[in-house]
Amino acid sequence: MPSPAPTATTSEPAPRRPLSLAARSAITTGFVLAAFLGLVGVVMSVAKQQTALNTLQDQLRDAAITDIITHTDVNRDGRLLPPDSPPQKFSQPGSGLYAVILGPAGYHWESTSAVGHDFRFLKPLPVGTDQFAGPVDTRMGRLYYYARGVTFDSLDGRKSTPATIMVAQTEQQLEGENAVYRRTLALWLSVLGMMLIVLQLLLLRWSLTPLRKVASDMSRVERGDSDHLDSQYPLELTGLTERINAFINSEREQRTRYRHTLADLAHSLKTPLAVIRSQMESANEDPARRGVLDQVRRMDELVAYQLARAATSGRQTFAAAVPIASHAEDLVQSLEKVYAAKNVLCEFDIADGASFHGELNDLLELMGNLLENAFKWTRHHVLLVVQKQPQPGRIRPGLLLSVEDDGPGIAADKIEKVLQRGVRGDERVQGHGIGLSIVQDIVRAYRGELAVDRSPELGGARFSVKLPPE
């Protein structure tokens, strides 16, 4: 069959399929969970930081009172006497813990660990006041410090000497502890997040099981393995599934009523036409009557063709699967009786489980017309081939059905006319009757393709019908 010349078309990208409900829920839950756990981590880190600062303030205050103030004294002249032997942590250079005493008349004392560092930021404080501050930028790094204004009385109680006691610690020690805490917190929050995500996915899978069951049952109905959605569904889905079942029943009942109406119409038209033709044929020979008789025959053929064309059901979403092999055998047995004089040998090459997803009448019309055409023109041998053509992602496989014979075949220049659209009545009867017109209408109704060429095995005509997967 000659194909039309290709035309330039602009292909548009196919629209992206929306995410599934499970994917949407998983992504949304993941974002919410990540935001929630992140907020929890920030809050806990801030709380830990504040707790660490409070703890550091208490530690520095205790060190100032216990280790410095209690070991500091004054002589009779009111001169400050620093601790003779401060704790070891204030004696080791680079320990990160420093002590400083400021007194009157420029008095300044530093612990051994603070030698060489700059504490010019420290100012004398009034007696009875204290101060916790930090971090303060210094040459030795950032520091947190606690300072307190105190007064020391001489042994005889005659003289009081004011002083400012400061104990400082580097920020590195505090931040090191906080960093360890943050890493531990991040690790456990990540583990907890992963566990919650896995749990959420399991819950989603369990929650969406009824929807997957509906989709599975719908696929079974579309494949023809079931007539209805017949499982038990949750209350929220019962209304939906009942309406789908009602729609399926309504579609089938309407199709049945339509076919019955067409059958009644066929009987109503064929009977008067048969009476008229009978009377015309029994009447005397008259050229005028012969013309009327030809028109009556033409009307009879047109009625048969148009009714067969209108009765074609076409592609259906909820069509049952009709096995092909058994019906092919019944058709061939009937044709062998009609063409018994030819002694036709009809062979089958039908794939196991090959089925037609549509109306039985459409299958019988399709195969019947092709086989009858082959029996009419064959010399002795006819071959029926049926192959399944599955495609990933499709519920129903495609179908390839071909009928071949060893007859004279169809000339290449006549193939286009045989399959030409718009030819009706007698134009289609020539050589083949209305059968091929009905076949072409059925194939078109099922969104398929009909091709005619020469049989490579038998040498005659080959009619190939290709129905797409769904």
Side-chain angles (χ1 to χ4, degrees):
M1 174 180 177
S3 58
T7 57
T9 57
T10 302
S11 59
E12 297 182 357
R16 180 178 296 179
R17 168 182 266 179
L19 292 175
S20 65
L21 294 178
R24 290 170 182 263
S25 300
I27 293 174
T28 303
T29 303
F31 277 121
V32 172
L33 187 59
F36 174 75
L37 292 179
L39 182 61
V40 169
V42 170
V43 171
M44 294 185 68
S45 295
V46 172
K48 170 62 178 175
Q49 178 77 12
Q50 188 60 45
T51 302
L53 287 176
N54 294 336
T55 302
L56 177 61
Q57 181 179 356
D58 293 340
Q59 291 175 348
L60 294 179
R61 182 178 61 247
D62 293 343
I65 295 174
T66 304
D67 299 330
I68 305 301
I69 296 178
T70 57
H71 292 82
T72 302
D73 206 349
V74 294
N75 57 19
R76 294 183 179 181
D77 297 331
R79 183 176 177 82
L80 290 171
L81 301 175
D84 293 333
S85 56
Q88 187 178 4
K89 55 188 176 182
F90 290 106
S91 303
Q92 296 177 348
S95 65
L97 193 62
Y98 316 111
V100 176
I101 301 176
L102 298 182
Y107 179 85
H108 185 97
W109 174 86
E110 296 178 353
S111 64
T112 305
S113 60
V115 172
H117 295 292
D118 182 13
F119 294 98
R120 285 181 295 181
F121 61 85
L122 181 62
K123 305 297 181 183
L125 295 178
V127 176
T129 61
D130 58 3
Q131 180 183 18
F132 177 76
V136 178
D137 291 320
T138 66
R139 289 186 308 175
M140 64 285 248
R142 294 159 64 88
L143 298 176
Y144 286 94
Y145 71 89
Y146 173 81
R148 186 169 186 174
V150 297
T151 183
F152 293 96
D153 296 332
S154 60
L155 295 177
D156 55 8
R158 295 180 179 180
K159 236 179 184 193
S160 295
T161 304
T164 298
I165 308 298
M166 184 201 76
V167 176
Q169 178 179 302
T170 59
E171 182 190 32
Q172 183 178 0
Q173 292 177 306
L174 178 66
E175 287 303 314
E177 296 177 2
N178 289 336
V180 172
Y181 175 79
R182 284 193 294 267
R183 287 196 298 268
T184 304
L185 179 63
L187 174 62
W188 284 107
L189 286 179
S190 300
V191 173
L192 177 61
M194 295 300 297
M195 293 175 61
L196 290 176
I197 288 176
V198 172
L199 178 61
Q200 180 66 23
L201 291 177
L202 293 176
L203 291 176
L204 278 175
R205 183 174 180 82
W206 177 77
S207 301
L208 296 177
T209 298
L211 288 178
R212 288 196 298 273
K213 181 62 177 174
V214 172
S216 175
D217 290 347
M218 286 289 293
S219 299
R220 293 177 62 245
V221 174
E222 291 179 359
R223 291 194 304 268
D225 298 336
S226 178
D227 293 334
H228 299 86
L229 304 179
D230 52 6
S231 299
Q232 295 295 325
Y233 306 104
L235 180 62
E236 293 81 0
L237 297 179
T238 301
L240 173 64
T241 53
E242 288 178 351
R243 284 169 176 78
I244 292 176
N245 283 333
F247 172 75
I248 295 174
N249 291 332
S250 175
E251 183 190 32
R252 290 172 177 168
E253 291 173 1
Q254 184 177 4
R255 196 164 58 245
T256 301
R257 287 196 303 269
Y258 184 58
R259 288 199 302 270
H260 289 171
T261 302
L262 290 176
D264 295 340
L265 179 60
H267 285 294
S268 300
L269 292 175
K270 281 183 171 293
T271 300
L273 289 174
V275 172
I276 295 173
R277 186 171 61 185
S278 176
Q279 291 180 355
M280 286 294 193
E281 290 175 346
S282 63
N284 295 328
E285 289 292 330
D286 187 340
R289 289 184 178 180
R290 281 201 304 271
V292 174
L293 181 60
D294 290 340
Q295 294 302 316
V296 170
R297 289 173 178 169
R298 177 181 175 87
M299 291 173 59
D300 194 17
E301 292 170 351
L302 286 172
V303 168
Y305 167 66
Q306 295 296 343
L307 288 178
R309 180 181 180 185
T312 300
S313 299
R315 177 181 178 273
Q316 303 166 27
T317 304
F318 305 108
V322 181
I324 294 178
S326 58
H327 295 290
E329 292 176 359
D330 294 339
L331 285 173
V332 169
Q333 288 177 2
S334 300
L335 290 172
E336 286 176 345
K337 295 177 181 178
V338 175
Y339 295 92
K342 284 191 169 186
N343 192 24
V344 178
L345 171 63
C346 183
E347 293 184 330
F348 293 162
D349 183 6
I350 302 177
D352 293 337
S355 300
F356 175 78
H357 292 274
E359 284 294 317
L360 174 60
N361 290 337
D362 293 344
L363 175 63
L364 295 179
E365 286 285 349
L366 180 65
M367 280 201 309
N369 281 295
L370 292 179
L371 287 171
E372 184 177 7
N373 183 73
F375 269 73
K376 178 179 179 181
W377 294 101
T378 188
R379 294 187 179 91
H380 174 66
H381 196 179
V382 174
L383 175 62
L384 171 63
V385 178
V386 181
Q387 298 176 352
K388 295 189 293 184
Q389 295 183 323
Q391 182 174 333
R394 299 300 180 96
I395 299 175
R396 303 174 183 172
L399 191 68
L400 178 61
L401 186 150
S402 65
V403 178
E404 308 175 29
D405 62 68
D406 60 352
I410 302 175
D413 57 348
K414 293 183 179 180
I415 292 178
E416 183 177 3
K417 186 176 181 180
V418 169
L419 299 178
Q420 184 179 357
R421 292 187 179 184
V423 179
R424 299 181 179 180
D426 289 345
E427 295 178 359
R428 292 209 174 193
V429 171
Q430 296 178 4
H432 298 282
I434 65 172
L436 291 182
S437 300
I438 296 174
V439 168
Q440 192 169 359
D441 289 333
I442 294 175
V443 171
R444 192 159 48 242
Y446 282 86
R447 304 178 185 177
E449 299 176 357
L450 173 62
V452 182
D453 58 3
R454 185 165 293 277
S455 171
E457 295 186 14
L458 304 182
R462 178 173 66 177
F463 289 80
S464 300
V465 174
K466 184 177 181 180
L467 302 181
E470 300 176 7

